[in-house]
Amino acid sequence: GNNNSGKIKIAVVTNCTDPFWDLCEAGAKKAAQENDVELLFRQPERMAAEVQKPVIDAWVSQGVSGIAVSVIDPKGQTEDLTLVAKKVPLVTMDNDAPDSGRICYVGVDNKEAGRAVGRLVKKILPNGGTIALFIGSTTSANGQARPAGVLEELATPEANGTRAKHPLRPELEGKYYGKYFLVDGESKTDDGLKERAVTNARDMLNRVDGVPDLCFVGLYAYNPPAILEAVRARSLVGKVKIVGFDENPETLKSITSGDIEGTVVQDPYNYGYKSVEILAAEVKGDRSKRLKGSAAYQVITKDGGPEQDINGLRIKFPKAVDYERTVRDQLKSVGK
Amino acid sequence: MGLGRAPMTPRLRANGIDKRFPGVVALSGVTLTLHPAEVLAIVGENGAGKSTLMKILAGVYQPDAGSVELDGHPVRFDGPREATRAGVVLIHQELNLAENLTVTDNLFLGREPTTGGGLRVLNRREMAARATGLLAEVGLPASRASVRVETLPPGEKQLVEIARALGTAVRVLIMDEPTSSLTQKETERLYAVIDRLKAGGVSVLYISHRLAEVVQCADRVTVLRDGKNAGELEKRSITHDNMVRLMVGRDLTQFYPKIHRPGVGGAAVLTLDQIRYRGGPDAPLTLDVRAGEILGMAGLVGAGRTELSEAVFGVRPLVSGELRLDGLPIRVSRPSDAIAAGVVLVPEDRRLHGLVAPESVGFNLSLPNLDRLGSLFGVRRRKESDLHRYWIDRLRIKTPSAAQPVGLLSGGNQQKVVYGKWLARDPRVLILDEPTRGVDVGAKAEIYALIDELAGRGLAVWMITSDMEELLGMSDRVVVMHEGQVAGELSRDRLNEEAVMRLATGGEEP
Amino acid sequence: MMRILGVLALLTALYAGLVGTYLDNAPAHEPASKTQERIQGNLVDVANIQGRYGVIALGAALVIITGGIDLSIGAVVGCSAVLFGVLMQSGIHPFVAVPLVVLCGAVVGLGNGLLITQLKLQPFLVTLCGMFVYRGAARLLAGTVSRSQTIEMQPDFSSALQSVRYFLVGKNIKGELEFPAEFILLLVLAGVVGFFLHRTAYGRYWYAIGHNELAAKYAGVNVSRQRVAVYVICSALSALAGVLLFLDMPSIQSDSGGQYLELYAILGAVLGGCSLRGGEGTAVGMVLGAMVLPVLENLVSIRGLKSDVIPAVIGLTLLVGTIVDEFIRRRSRLNR
Amino acid sequence: MMRILGVLALLTALYAGLVGTYLDNAPAHEPASKTQERIQGNLVDVANIQGRYGVIALGAALVIITGGIDLSIGAVVGCSAVLFGVLMQSGIHPFVAVPLVVLCGAVVGLGNGLLITQLKLQPFLVTLCGMFVYRGAARLLAGTVSRSQTIEMQPDFSSALQSVRYFLVGKNIKGELEFPAEFILLLVLAGVVGFFLHRTAYGRYWYAIGHNELAAKYAGVNVSRQRVAVYVICSALSALAGVLLFLDMPSIQSDSGGQYLELYAILGAVLGGCSLRGGEGTAVGMVLGAMVLPVLENLVSIRGLKSDVIPAVIGLTLLVGTIVDEFIRRRSRLNR
Ligand SMILES: Nc1ncnc2c1ncn2[C@@H]1O[C@H](COP(=O)(O)OP(=O)(O)OP(=O)(O)O)[C@@H](O)[C@H]1O
Ligand SMILES: Nc1ncnc2c1ncn2[C@@H]1O[C@H](COP(=O)(O)OP(=O)(O)OP(=O)(O)O)[C@@H](O)[C@H]1O
Ligand SMILES: [Mg+2]
Ligand SMILES: [Mg+2]
């Protein structure tokens, strides 16, 4: 007999390993304690459905009472998740698979959050400019939704993805989204390699050398610090604006110091907390915890700002210093 | 000779040495005594345990029982390094050189002259100076010093090994078949080296299957049979017949079979017509190998005999000219083509080219014959084991079973496996490159009888050999090579050592 | 023979651990039959994955037996999976697409083999370049492919795709795993490979080449042809594994599908008794070797190990397994 | 000698392509001196990365020369980077931490080497297990480490860390890259390695062991000790590279820092003339070989190639380079 065998087991499977998910784990742990359930938390080695699936299968077969999954490819995974949802209560988090029969979704709408990034860019470069997007991969759901959101926001109301050469540097091909010229017309990917994230930014800096009104956008958590590292090495801090995504501690610190303009965060701590809370309640037949719609992202800048209603969501604009403190406290509980 | 005086303590003594390998008792209770400044020859059949004993003396193996004394003190070498330090140096039967390094590097490998203390910076000047001297001792030109070993022919590699041993502070030099790939000329130079060592007080253990050499250079002979001492011979009683009797346990009378072969001089089976091959000499070469004859081919080390045979066997691409079998042109671009045409090669270096050492005797016997053992899609087990049994019996291959890894057999028995795999194919032309390298007298006699019988039945045999005795004893006709070219041809009645040597060194036909 | 004992011991220990974990963790009230059912279900899941690993391990092992190596396996798996999806989406019937993909795999292997034998390039280098090239090819073909996306685009293929899926992967129309079809496929393929390896002339040639290429050549073996054949088989099997991956997994991302599988395949082959020096290995060993990693991964998941601990546990288990294996072999050699 | 010509040709072509791209793309009005400055800036960037690659390529090459292989390089790099951060955070002075990390690397190499020589395990297997184990160790040590986090926890170390950074990585206090310190470090280390390889008895032993282990053993070389030494050097160099990585990157994630570097290191060594069969390679070649990939990656990204095309282009270029190299060598052999 195992000393845990009496407890209810709640499982959380993320889409990959990342400090982002450490925050989520912290939240999940907290909720597990409060609800007196056993938590199984797993960050699979790579962001690939083929790595995630065996873990989900193993846990479902072992008889967990509820499972939360960060979906990688909603369309592809729907069928499998439907099977899962038939056996145990399923919560999707971070990325949704709406048709899977999940009981609810915990997470922001990545595309909406991407639009918030676009708005930051617009605010920094109101008269247009040259931008570059950096991301790990564009084959996952969030890897597609975030750049799409950014560009959609930039494109309104004028040009949308019109092919063009850069007005000052004709060798640079790209696309116009509104007044913004996207170099190469695509996001530069680094396949999750942090070192390559730096070299990608560095090479881009070399190419756009001398171009005014630059803004680099990093859409995975590690991208903004990587961009900043390259910008520093070229002594271009302040000249090249940086906008990020997610709450990487380095990013938050650099926002406070003014080297990065801002970032859009998802509050993964609450993803973990809410997922476990909902599932634990569900086991007891309590459906009241279920969430409706998607959660609100937050926009972090140096100086913060008042809350606003945007597209039906109540959005907070905390100061970077404050938010950094919150994150740090959250992380402490997982010992990171 | 003046060395008859009885020394006080022997230089090296081995007492009651036992050594077992899985399934094989290699040595049991072997005793050996080696006096200072003495050449002691060890003879015995293949698998008698000679190499094993030498490896024990040189610290490569540890004995299961028994003791070794050096100058009266018991010693136990935990590795070749310690043995070398104590002055016991072994030249292995198989070549052991780092062929990617230069000759000089190999001469000093493991004991480089260095400066700089722990940094062990090579003292290149000293290396170069000493290398020249060492090479000169074995008769290699100084120009070889900076050449990568892999570019040397086997004979020269063997000389490099010997030179390397000479470079140590050697007190006991063990040479395990040093002459198996040497021609007469180099062998004689080796005798001179041995004489000089002896004069300097060095003791030499000398293993050879060429009994004439033993007669010429040994002071004493120890004979091993089946891993046991089989007797000793003092200088005056060292004769071919005495040694053979002790080794084999019976008399071997007819050593070189001399069957009258009417077919000699018959139709050419294999014709090399004006061929030139890649890496060979510029001038074309023409040669016939006739049915039912044994064509001997002589030449010095590096004369290009091996290369020529490889060109015929499809290893070296032909640049021009034509090969004909029974008068019909054949295309040979890889060994399988030659084999399909009935031309097979017993290569010079059996470990490299002849055998898949870790695999079994049976595996090796079957390998080129799989197309005949059922189809390629299904090897008929019964037929295969019949073949194994037949050839193991026929060639008297000494092995516990057909499943024994061939690399664990003694050298001579390995050689017999190579014969077996080819003879099982019923070839038309049998190319033999150093056919009895490392083969004991008894087995040699068997192989000679076999070759002779096959030739008598119409097989064309092309025998490349550096062993003068073998050449003179077996050949129906001899072709002598010099610098990649045919220097001359000698029919049986004009065949003698002097004529061969003259042609081989570039002299005129008598 | 002895080479198999070590891996057998390892597997036995792992399976015992797996079953033990289930029994320990079984809820107090659960009837034994139900626990057994869950164990079985999990073993079938694992067997299916083992089957897929095994298919590539067979290919890797053949290449290793001839003294070569193939680092492009993972990329070929990924590329084939993507190709399979793209072919069907472009209107090629599944029954045609499967052999076509395997054929493409064979062509890839032919390329590898010819570069290695004709241009005498090092296998490690050729297949490492291949790893980039085939990964790149996958990315050029598509971003993400999945069954559901394919059926959406080609609804006609739905039932054909379903039957292919049933026979190759064992999943019924609802996506439930009915039997470990991939493992059965592995057994069939291992039988074929074993037949070639142990009963035909070709097997002898491969062993001979692996031990001593020159001696094989001098014995009349057409070394180049055999080498090429082995690379062709390896890549064709990898392509087949790509098909399996597509059918089994919810979705395939072109930038990461099949990643690392070359290492797992080689690991399986080596655990199963192949030596990277060539010339050694048995078909039974390959199957057993390939079974190790999936059951090990399953075990660590089931036991709910922390994500951070998992790599170390896997590495140490494999290492201990290898050491045990070596000792068993050494002992058996002494006692012979 | 000839082994170097091929890689030289490849490098020349790549550098010519790089400079050509800059010249082609230079804005019409830009003075030549400015263009040149930009080119130089980029070359320094690239050189720094080449330096880091080179350090591990040296280690990989030594192992390869003795006929071994080390697949744990990447994991050791990552683990050392994390360890470096953790040590400093726990109060160990940077000047002490650097040698300590390198020492730990050496201990890891000792472990690899002893397992390989004493237990006679296959290097591929041991170091593959090592890859898991050391990656796991990194994850157990910490999630993410970074310079800024370290300085925050140990403000006293700030200036020492900065000077270490300046001398090893060439970045000043503002993070500007002033000179390619990593490349200079590589040259120094290559000098040392070259000295050992070509001028001392040890080098002779390594070549001899790689080509014919038995010959070396019979010649009285302590083969095991030399093998162990080489693994120790390789892992120590990897650990040094980990320190460099920590100093050069904004942050290191324990789950992915240094990933794939073993492949890049081996690739560098092999391009530089090492044969995986052992016994071949020169120090100059190693440096040149390690220079290829960074400049190639830089070239493709400077030219603005689409992310999806890049892997294929890199793979094909390397393949063509290898083929050219082979032809040059074959030709030189014929003309000898
Ligand atoms: N490493 C080994 N493992 C197993 N058996 C061995 C090993 N080495 C030698 N033997 C066996 O021990 C016996 C003695 O072999 P050894 O090599 O000493 O013979 P030898 O007298 O040198 O023969 P040859 O004249 O053919 O060289 C042979 O039966 C051989 O097969
Ligand atoms: N002087 C030389 N310098 C370098 N290499 C040589 C020299 N002479 C011969 N070789 C090499 O030796 C080989 C040719 O000799 P080959 O082995 O064919 O002669 P052989 O007459 O069979 O001699 P052996 O009796 O040693 O077998 C070739 O590989 C050739 O490159
Ligand atoms: Mg012997
Ligand atoms: Mg020869």
Side-chain angles (χ1 to χ4, degrees), chain B residues 60 80-81 92 96-101 105 109-110 112 118-122 124, chain D residues 195-196 198-202 204-205 207-208 211-212 215 217-221 279:
Chain B
V60 176
R81 191 185 185 83
H92 286 264
N96 278 295
L97 295 166
E99 307 213 343
N100 56 336
L101 297 179
D105 289 335
L109 188 65
E112 292 81 356
L119 277 183
R120 308 209 52 204
V121 184
L122 296 174
R124 297 217 192 177
Chain D
F195 171 77
F196 272 90
H198 303 303
R199 290 271 177 276
T200 72
Y202 303 113
R204 293 293 192 275
Y205 298 161
Y207 284 116
H211 188 271
N212 186 345
K217 191 173 152 197
Y218 284 165
V221 176

Side-chain angles (χ1 to χ4, degrees), chain B residues 19-27 42-55 61 93-94 176-177 207-209 224 226-227 350 398-400 404-414 437-440, chain C residues 336:
Chain B
K19 181 71 185 174
R20 253 185 308 279
F21 292 111
V24 186
V25 178
L27 296 173
I42 316 284
V43 299
E45 287 183 288
N46 291 130
K50 303 180 294 294
S51 298
T52 307
L53 181 59
M54 299 305 118
K55 285 182 184 169
Y61 293 154
Q93 180 170 9
E94 311 287 353
D176 197 349
E177 302 195 30
I207 297 179
S208 180
H209 288 296
L224 294 185
D226 293 334
R350 66 176 164 259
K398 199 171 144 192
T399 172
Q404 181 80 347
V406 77
L408 298 184
L409 299 192
S410 73
N413 284 301
Q414 292 183 12
R437 190 164 169 192
V439 175
D440 71 40
Chain C
R336 204 164 46 175

Side-chain angles (χ1 to χ4, degrees), chain C residues 144-226:
Chain C
T144 311
V145 293
S146 66
R147 249 181 6 268
S148 48
Q149 177 197 27
T150 306
I151 293 176
E152 201 172 283
M153 292 175 73
Q154 301 283 349
D156 297 353
F157 292 170
S158 167
S159 76
L161 192 53
Q162 176 45 41
S163 55
V164 171
R165 191 177 188 214
Y166 185 75
F167 286 111
L168 290 182
V169 172
K171 286 189 174 166
N172 67 14
I173 190 111
K174 283 185 267 171
E176 290 160 348
L177 182 57
E178 297 204 336
F179 65 106
E182 293 181 70
F183 196 78
I184 293 170
L185 181 64
L186 167 63
L187 291 182
V188 172
L189 289 174
V192 174
V193 166
F195 171 75
F196 269 86
L197 208 48
H198 304 302
R199 290 273 177 278
T200 72
Y202 300 108
R204 306 285 181 89
Y205 294 159
W206 299 337
Y207 285 114
I209 291 171
H211 273 310
N212 186 343
E213 175 168 351
L214 274 177
K217 184 176 162 190
Y218 275 68
V221 178
N222 191 333
V223 173
S224 298
R225 189 183 302 162
Q226 295 302 326

Side-chain angles (χ1 to χ4, degrees), chain B residues 259-417:
Chain B
I259 297 174
H260 173 65
R261 278 197 293 273
V264 172
V269 181
L270 179 70
T271 307
L272 287 57
D273 188 4
Q274 303 276 328
I275 67 161
R276 283 170 51 226
Y277 51 88
R278 190 181 295 169
D282 290 335
L285 181 147
T286 297
L287 190 72
D288 274 340
V289 187
R290 297 174 201 151
E293 77 164 351
I294 299 174
L295 169 67
M297 181 173 270
L300 297 183
V301 165
R305 297 165 297 171
T306 298
E307 289 186 353
L308 180 64
S309 67
E310 285 176 348
V312 172
F313 194 54
V315 179
R316 290 175 185 271
L318 288 191
V319 177
S320 68
E322 167 173 276
L323 293 176
R324 285 197 294 272
L325 193 74
D326 296 330
L328 300 174
I330 50 171
R331 252 187 69 80
V332 176
S333 51
R334 54 172 61 92
S336 51
D337 299 337
I339 294 165
V343 179
V344 302
L345 169 71
V346 174
E348 185 174 20
D349 186 339
R350 66 176 164 259
R351 259 211 320 189
L352 193 60
H353 298 135
L355 295 169
V356 182
E359 291 287 358
S360 66
V361 171
F363 182 100
N364 279 280
L365 285 174
S366 300
L367 189 60
N369 299 305
L370 291 169
D371 54 341
R372 305 181 156 203
L373 299 167
S375 75
L376 287 178
F377 280 101
V379 180
R380 300 249 299 276
R381 293 281 172 126
R382 168 64 61 76
K383 220 167 158 182
E384 190 181 15
S385 59
D386 286 349
L387 177 128
H388 297 167
R389 204 168 323 115
Y390 178 80
W391 286 103
I392 289 173
D393 290 349
R394 173 86 206 267
L395 298 174
R396 290 201 243 160
I397 298 172
K398 199 171 144 192
T399 172
S401 75
Q404 181 80 347
V406 77
L408 298 184
L409 299 192
S410 73
N413 284 301
Q414 292 183 12
Q415 186 76 0
K416 288 186 191 170
V417 175

